Amino acid sequence: MQTVQFENRNGLGTTLNALVHFPENFDANKRYPAVVVTHPGGGVKEQTASLYASKLAQHGFIAIAHDATYQGDSSGAPRHLENPFVRSEDISAVVDYLTTLPFVDAQRIGAMGVCAGGGYSVNAAICDRRIKAVGTVSAVNIGAMFNRGWDGTLDPAAALPLLQMGSDARSVEAAGGEGPSIPFAPATREQAPNAELAEAWEYYRTPRCQHPNSPGYFPARSFNLLVTYDAYHMADVFLTQPLQIVVGSEAGSKWMSDDLHARAASKDKHLHVIAGANHMQLYDVQPHVDEASAVLVAFFREKL
């Protein structure tokens, strides 16, 4: 594994920091298929993204897990901003980098992501034809999550106060103040609305997988970018690449994977449901991760 830094060619003057996972017996004189692995909202590359990247590398792929712009070891301000448009562009910036590496076959590059990283991977593939195959784990269309709720039952109009909160935060910051921060995961177990999201607290805020670069919050101004965002916008027209979706049968977020499967234009799309697993368990809980990884490895082997 190697840490690398490279320019994000999005015009913002930022750099991305990433971990490159190499296959065993890596030979720089050979050319390998590669997969960009994108972390969840609030996460960093060292967590579930690198777990899945390591699984792919064990089966012959160059797998690269990166920190989003504004987050982790990547640059950009304000810190921890969750900008979905830049997050999608980050993936294409990693593809840019991969195409410069002599040991990567630029015609065999795929993308996968976990949670919001899955939605961002889909959005990047809709726009970037260099991505030849797409995989998702516990996919979240982050805009839909904020305007329709975790389980998809809310009236989107109920998210109007979030837009107001984001707008007010921008005014505070423009005046030189500091706007409020919003937790991605519950700050305490007691604040979790259900048992599934209590696992988000456990994952991000206990030794289960906490990381100093992953404080688990974002500035409220992010709401102005997130609430109206659709990671699957025009998937019915432009998401023609092979698509493998992996989701737990008990995930409250499963409707977002179902929606992706329904909307994707791809004629080669597959939905694999892991029996008994919820959303968070696909991050790091066995045997669910091994099942998800096996599905994705077989998919990328065939399509790349």
Side-chain angles (χ1 to χ4, degrees):
M1 185 172 66
Q2 180 183 2
T3 301
V4 297
Q5 283 188 318
F6 49 90
E7 178 186 3
N8 186 339
R9 302 177 63 84
N10 61 10
L12 298 178
T14 59
T15 58
L16 295 181
N17 189 290
L19 294 173
V20 183
H21 297 254
F22 294 94
E24 188 176 359
N25 301 318
F26 169 73
D27 183 346
N29 293 313
K30 295 182 177 180
R31 302 184 78 198
Y32 296 83
V35 180
V36 182
V37 185
T38 301
H39 64 73
V44 288
K45 64 186 183 299
E46 290 84 0
Q47 296 168 321
T48 185
S50 271
L51 177 58
Y52 277 93
S54 68
K55 298 286 187 182
L56 290 166
Q58 289 168 17
H59 291 86
F61 296 91
I62 300 291
I64 181 167
H66 62 286
D67 282 329
T69 296
Y70 313 115
Q71 300 170 24
D73 290 316
S74 293
S75 69
R79 297 306 295 167
H80 312 300
L81 182 72
E82 186 74 10
N83 185 324
F85 305 98
V86 175
R87 286 275 255 139
S88 179
E89 174 62 21
D90 286 345
I91 297 166
S92 287
V94 179
V95 175
D96 290 342
Y97 172 72
L98 288 173
T99 64
T100 71
L101 302 177
F103 50 80
V104 168
D105 185 341
Q107 299 306 310
R108 293 192 293 162
I109 295 176
M112 68 150 288
V114 182
C115 188
Y120 295 138
S121 297
V122 166
N123 192 261
I126 288 170
C127 302
D128 194 334
R129 305 309 299 178
R130 298 173 300 173
I131 298 172
K132 305 302 184 183
V134 191
T136 67
V137 175
S138 293
V140 162
N141 179 348
I142 197 166
M145 184 190 76
F146 279 111
N147 65 49
R148 293 184 58 190
W150 181 250
D151 60 3
T153 60
L154 293 182
D155 179 349
L160 185 58
L162 300 183
L163 290 174
Q164 187 64 56
M165 185 184 301
S167 301
D168 293 343
R170 291 184 65 117
S171 293
V172 169
E173 293 176 14
E178 183 175 346
S181 295
I182 307 298
F184 251 122
T188 67
R189 183 186 292 275
E190 292 71 27
Q191 291 178 2
N194 55 52
E196 184 176 33
L197 293 179
E199 282 201 50
W201 164 82
E202 180 184 330
Y203 182 86
Y204 285 110
R205 302 187 188 279
T206 78
R208 173 173 166 181
C209 209
Q210 65 187 160
H211 191 278
N213 283 352
S214 174
Y217 67 85
F218 60 93
R221 64 176 295 171
S222 302
F223 280 139
N224 292 116
L225 302 165
L226 294 168
V227 170
T228 61
Y229 177 73
D230 178 11
Y232 307 159
H233 179 60
M234 299 200 77
D236 58 321
V237 178
F238 297 122
L239 185 59
T240 60
Q241 299 97 318
L243 172 66
Q244 177 64 67
I245 303 164
V246 181
V247 66
S249 64
E250 306 308 305
S253 60
K254 183 176 179 294
W255 66 277
M256 288 181 271
S257 289
D258 294 335
D259 184 41
L260 171 59
H261 186 258
R263 290 170 65 179
S266 175
K267 303 301 183 184
D268 185 3
K269 56 185 177 180
H270 312 274
L271 177 66
H272 181 87
V273 180
I274 297 182
N278 68 22
H279 180 95
M280 297 300 305
Q281 288 169 340
L282 297 192
Y283 283 36
D284 65 337
V285 173
Q286 297 293 11
H288 303 316
V289 169
D290 279 348
E291 181 176 343
S293 298
V295 169
L296 289 163
V297 165
F299 169 72
F300 283 123
R301 275 182 166 172
E302 179 181 352
K303 306 308 176 184
L304 299 179

